[in-house]
């Protein structure tokens, strides 16, 4: 034990044991007084108390005061937990790109407020001036220990300068993408700390989950966040050289290059890139490893709200629903060519490889079936939008066409038919999140800058659990399984499951099957926090075990719509998206 530490221990040992009992009732109000003084004097700590920063400040002050009183009561008590917490505080300041000035000032303010309270308690409880003096010395020494612990944590973090700068830039990217937008001066200040020049325009890049990145291969001005859903920000335009650089740094999986936008619209560029990535994974966009959003803007627009497009499709193509599938297919193909060819029979015949008279016959059928809809410019436009939103419909007669039940194939929403309908399997990569240890490290990771990310995680987890629930059913416990289905859903999907419960039970009991599911991956493609709606692409691995014979495995991708309810996010629609074989 050092001479200084031994001296302090002797000082604490000379304090009367009952002093701790006098001080302990003061701690709650003293903690609040110290927090108020710190928040009033130091702008960096003047944040909402119900957020991560407010929680961190509260925990730090309460930890310091409680441990101090415990040590007055027992000078030999272990300080290991306290030491770790206050080293983390210093490390956190370094990772946030700040100096230690604010934290050291907070310690000085805390010491001053605590000292004033000590004097009042000492006079009130009749302690001698000598005892109060010794207690003041112990208090000042204690605060110096806290400051030294934080300095050690700060120095250790700064020693990892490259890693710290990377985290600064990661935090900067999160700040740029935050909505509602943060003030530009806040971005500029953090950019200066991270040694990064703020550009006027940016291009966002989305990568598949768990993409391995060679950070050293990235250009110095490219900033990235590789946790959870990897994405990068490229200042200016993503030139071919830039794209090649990013592809080399992220050698595995697909990349989607968003459109170049103003800095304030960076979140739009990333949203489009992630949407393009999801559409490529589902086979709707036919693309190679690198997808450029600018090459697929119309597809992105038409795919932005699958549920709304499905609703429009049901309305505009409703007259075709009673027809047989082959006849409906022919008329949809003819109608699309008619809209593209401006109604010229000869041009339409050339496109379809048939006689013009055949086109005229088909168009009479279209007109008889569709009625006045094609004569109305607004309805005609909506019909063309619907047809263009059906992938490959114009070029391939076997594309997305309405089935015999009147529903649509492809990625539109499907009707729930039986428990075995959900026994399908999907291929996508797994999403993992990095965990951060330590109380304040955890609080930093859950800063207000990450609120949107936290909601996205909540949506993804609800979608994963709901998809697993709706693809798991054991004929021996079928009633319990169907109850779980109903608890996982809301809206029309919930009503369908409730109304079809009896039929489902009969089917699964007759089949004597056991179906289990495992999530391979899930990606949130759309999230509207204000409206309480979200879209998720989910990959499942489903095993179906029949009464006799061997289990079978299948794969399928599902497009889920979620709605926020009073009990959390619930599935409101579930549909299939095409699976393309590699």
């Amino acid at each position: 034990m050092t001479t200084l530490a031994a001296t302090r221990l002797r000082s604490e040992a000379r304090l009367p044991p009952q002093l701790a009992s006098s001080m302990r009732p003061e701690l709650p109000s003293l903690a609040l007084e110290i927090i108020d003084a710190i928040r009033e004097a130091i702008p960096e700590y003047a944040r909402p108390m119900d957020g991560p920063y407010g929680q961190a400040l509260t925990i730090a002050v309460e930890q310091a005061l409680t441990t101090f009183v415990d040590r007055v009561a027992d000078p030999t008590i272990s300080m290991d937990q306290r030491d770790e917490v206050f080293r983390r505080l210093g490390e956190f300041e370094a990772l946030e790109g700040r100096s230690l000035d604010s934290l050291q000032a907070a310690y000085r303010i805390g010491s001053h407020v605590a000292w004033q309270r000590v004097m009042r308690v000492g006079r009130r409880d009749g302690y001698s001036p000598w005892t109060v003096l010794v207690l003041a010395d112990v208090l000042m020494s204690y605060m110096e220990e806290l400051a030294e612990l934080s300095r050690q944590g700060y120095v250790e973090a700064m020693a990892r300068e490259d890693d710290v700068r990377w985290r600064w830039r990661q935090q900067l990217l999160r700040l740029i993408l935050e909505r509602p937008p943060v003030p530009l001066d806040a971005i500029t200040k953090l950019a200066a700390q991270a040694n990064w020049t703020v550009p006027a325009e940016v291009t966002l890049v989305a990568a598949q989950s768990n993409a391995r990145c060679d950070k050293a291969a990235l250009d110095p001005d490219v900033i990235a966040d590789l946790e959870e859903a990897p994405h990068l920000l490229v200042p200016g335009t993503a030139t071919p050289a830039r794209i090649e650089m990013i592809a080399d740094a992220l050698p595995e999986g697909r990349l989607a290059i968003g459109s170049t936008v103003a800095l304030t619209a960076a979140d739009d560029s990333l949203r489009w890139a992630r949407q393009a990535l999801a559409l490529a994974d589902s086979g709707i966009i036919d693309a190679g490893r690198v997808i450029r959003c600018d090459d697929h803007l119309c597809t992105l627009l038409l795919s932005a709200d699958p549920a709304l497009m499905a609703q429009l499709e049901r309305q505009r193509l409703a007259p075709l629903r009673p027809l047989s599938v082959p006849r409906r297919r022919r008329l949809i193909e003819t109608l699309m060519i008619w809209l593209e060819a401006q109604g010229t029979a000869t041009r339409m015949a050339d496109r379809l490889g048939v006689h013009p008279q055949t086109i005229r016959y088909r168009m009479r059928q279209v007109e008889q079936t569709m009625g006045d809809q094609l004569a109305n410019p607004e309805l005609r436009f909506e019909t063309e939008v619907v047809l263009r939103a059906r992938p490959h419909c114009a070029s391939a007669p076997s594309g997305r066409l309405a089935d015999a039940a009147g529903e649509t194939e492809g990625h539109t929403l499907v009707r729930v038919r039986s428990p075995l309908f959900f026994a399908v399997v999907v291929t996508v990569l797994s999403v993992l999140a990095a965990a951060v240890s330590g109380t304040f490290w955890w609080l930093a990771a859950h800063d207000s800058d990450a609120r949107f990310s936290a909601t996205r995680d909540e949506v993804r987890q609800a979608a994963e659990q709901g998809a697993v629930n709706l693809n798991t059913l054991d004929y021996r416990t079928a009633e319990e399984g169907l109850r779980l289905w109903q608890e996982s859903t809301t809206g029309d999907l919930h009503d369908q499951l409730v109304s079809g419960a009896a039929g489902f039970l009969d089917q699964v009991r007759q089949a004597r099957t056991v179906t289990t599911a495992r999530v391979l991956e899930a990606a949130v493609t759309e999230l509207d926090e204000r409206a309480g709606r979200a879209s998720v692409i989910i990959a499942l691995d489903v095993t179906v075990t029949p009464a006799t014979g061997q289990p079978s495995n299948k794969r399928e991708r599902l497009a889920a719509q979620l709605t926020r309810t009073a009990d959390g996010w619930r599935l409101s629609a579930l549909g299939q998206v095409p699976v393309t074989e590699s």
Side-chain angles (χ1 to χ4, degrees):
M1 181 181 297
T2 65
T3 302
L4 179 60
T7 301
R8 290 172 179 170
L9 185 57
R10 286 195 299 270
S11 296
E12 292 163 6
R14 288 182 293 169
L15 292 172
Q18 65 270 26
L19 186 57
S21 299
S22 297
M23 296 169 57
R24 204 174 297 278
E26 302 290 325
L27 297 187
S29 61
L30 178 56
L32 293 176
E33 186 177 352
I34 291 174
I35 290 171
D36 289 342
I38 290 173
R39 295 181 71 237
E40 182 177 355
I42 305 174
E44 286 80 1
Y45 296 112
R47 301 198 183 191
M49 293 304 296
D50 57 352
Y53 280 94
Q55 296 173 22
L57 180 59
T58 301
I59 291 173
V61 173
E62 291 176 349
Q63 171 87 41
L65 293 176
T66 302
T67 306
F68 175 73
V69 174
D70 289 343
R71 195 161 81 173
V72 169
D74 179 8
T76 64
I77 193 172
S78 172
M79 295 286 106
D80 291 346
Q81 181 178 355
R82 180 211 66 173
D83 294 354
E84 176 65 16
V85 166
F86 283 90
R87 284 195 185 96
R88 289 288 186 183
L89 273 180
E91 184 175 1
F92 177 63
E93 292 297 294
L95 295 178
E96 286 291 294
R98 295 192 291 264
S99 70
L100 275 177
D101 294 344
S102 296
L103 187 57
Q104 300 289 8
Y107 289 145
R108 289 192 296 271
I109 293 170
S111 299
H112 179 70
V113 174
W115 166 237
Q116 290 180 324
R117 181 67 67 91
V118 163
M119 288 192 299
R120 290 201 299 269
V121 171
R123 288 194 299 267
R124 183 196 67 194
D125 294 351
Y127 290 104
S128 67
W130 180 86
T131 299
V132 175
L133 182 62
V134 172
L135 181 59
D137 178 63
V138 172
L139 176 63
M140 295 303 114
S141 298
Y142 181 81
M143 299 305 290
E144 289 174 7
E145 290 176 19
L146 299 186
E148 175 59 22
L149 289 168
S150 294
R151 189 196 66 81
Q152 292 173 7
Y154 186 88
V155 170
E156 290 169 3
M158 291 301 293
R160 303 187 299 270
E161 183 176 356
D162 289 343
D163 183 57
V164 171
R165 181 175 291 111
W166 176 271
R167 290 183 180 275
W168 283 345
R169 293 190 172 193
Q170 181 186 63
Q171 180 70 9
L172 176 63
L173 180 52
R174 292 174 180 176
L175 207 62
I176 291 172
L177 295 173
E178 184 175 344
R179 286 298 175 269
V182 301
L184 182 59
D185 61 342
I187 294 175
T188 303
K189 289 178 181 177
L190 185 55
Q193 191 72 39
N195 194 25
W196 189 74
T197 302
V198 179
E201 292 186 326
V202 295
T203 304
L204 275 294
V205 179
Q208 289 182 313
S209 300
N210 284 346
R212 179 176 59 85
C213 180
D214 179 7
K215 297 178 182 178
L218 293 173
D219 286 347
D221 60 345
V222 173
I223 58 178
D225 187 347
L226 302 178
E227 297 178 5
E228 195 174 330
H231 53 280
L232 305 89
L233 181 149
V234 178
T237 303
T239 63
R242 290 278 213 179
I243 295 175
E244 183 179 357
M245 173 270 299
I246 293 173
D248 290 341
L250 294 159
E252 302 170 356
R254 281 196 177 101
L255 300 171
I257 314 298
S259 297
T260 301
V261 297
L263 180 69
T264 53
D267 64 317
D268 289 330
S269 181
L270 179 59
R271 178 165 51 83
W272 299 333
R274 284 176 171 165
Q275 184 183 354
L277 203 60
L279 292 176
D281 288 344
S282 66
I284 295 175
I285 287 180
D286 184 13
R289 179 169 177 256
V290 177
I291 310 153
R292 294 184 61 95
C293 284
D294 286 347
D295 297 335
H296 305 280
L297 293 180
C298 185
T299 301
L300 291 173
L301 176 62
L302 295 176
S303 304
D305 192 334
L308 182 59
M309 186 57 68
Q311 178 65 20
L312 183 62
E313 181 174 343
R314 282 191 290 269
Q315 291 182 3
R316 294 285 72 81
L317 300 187
L320 300 175
R321 188 166 299 175
L323 306 180
S324 64
V325 172
R327 186 181 179 193
R328 189 184 314 124
R329 180 181 295 116
R330 287 193 300 270
L331 294 190
I332 288 177
E333 179 186 48
T334 302
L335 177 58
M336 187 64 197
I337 297 299
W338 176 77
L339 291 169
E340 291 181 351
Q342 301 298 314
T344 303
T346 302
R347 194 180 301 172
M348 293 170 62
D350 291 341
R351 288 280 302 276
L352 292 176
V354 297
H355 194 276
Q357 188 60 34
T358 300
I359 294 297
R360 296 186 181 95
Y361 170 74
R362 289 187 186 177
M363 282 308 302
R364 283 196 296 271
Q365 291 182 304
V366 169
E367 291 169 356
Q368 291 172 359
T369 304
M370 303 296 287
D372 296 334
Q373 182 169 313
L374 299 182
N376 184 311
E378 182 175 344
L379 298 182
R380 185 169 65 243
F381 171 75
E382 291 180 0
T383 303
E384 184 170 2
V385 168
V386 165
L387 295 178
R388 288 188 179 277
R390 300 163 65 86
H392 316 301
C393 182
S395 59
S398 60
R400 255 182 69 224
L401 300 168
D403 63 21
E407 300 295 329
T408 55
E409 299 173 356
H411 71 284
T412 51
L413 303 181
V414 295
R415 190 186 307 277
V416 179
R417 295 179 176 83
S418 73
L420 298 183
F421 170 80
F422 292 106
V424 288
V425 179
V426 187
T427 344
V428 190
L429 300 173
S430 296
V431 179
L432 298 176
V436 189
S437 62
T439 302
F440 291 94
W441 195 271
W442 184 91
L443 289 172
H446 291 73
D447 194 0
S448 57
D449 296 341
R451 284 196 307 270
F452 184 86
S453 177
T455 303
R456 188 178 64 239
D457 289 347
E458 182 183 352
V459 167
R460 176 176 55 78
Q461 292 169 7
E464 289 179 355
Q465 188 61 57
V468 168
N469 292 346
L470 266 67
N471 283 276
T472 300
L473 200 62
D474 188 331
Y475 75 94
R476 295 163 296 192
T477 57
E479 290 183 350
E480 177 64 19
L482 290 183
R483 183 188 63 78
L484 194 59
W485 285 18
Q486 295 167 11
E487 291 177 354
S488 304
T489 56
T490 188
D492 291 342
L493 180 56
H494 175 81
D495 295 340
Q496 291 175 16
L497 294 176
V498 172
S499 62
F504 293 161
L505 285 172
D506 290 340
Q507 292 180 38
V508 75
R509 286 168 177 167
Q510 291 175 11
R512 296 173 61 83
T513 55
V514 177
T515 305
T516 58
R518 178 173 62 93
V519 174
L520 298 177
E521 213 263 333
V524 179
T525 57
E526 289 291 328
L527 173 56
D528 187 340
E529 288 185 286
R530 180 174 299 177
R533 296 192 300 269
S535 302
V536 183
I537 296 292
I538 310 170
L540 288 181
D541 183 357
V542 178
T543 301
V544 180
T545 304
T548 59
Q550 296 298 317
S552 62
N553 288 87
K554 297 181 181 179
R555 293 181 174 182
E556 185 171 342
R557 295 183 178 90
L558 301 178
Q561 298 288 317
L562 286 91
T563 300
R564 187 171 54 221
T565 70
D567 297 323
W569 292 89
R570 295 290 185 268
L571 291 174
S572 53
L574 191 67
Q576 297 173 288
V577 292
V579 177
T580 56
E581 299 295 331
S582 57

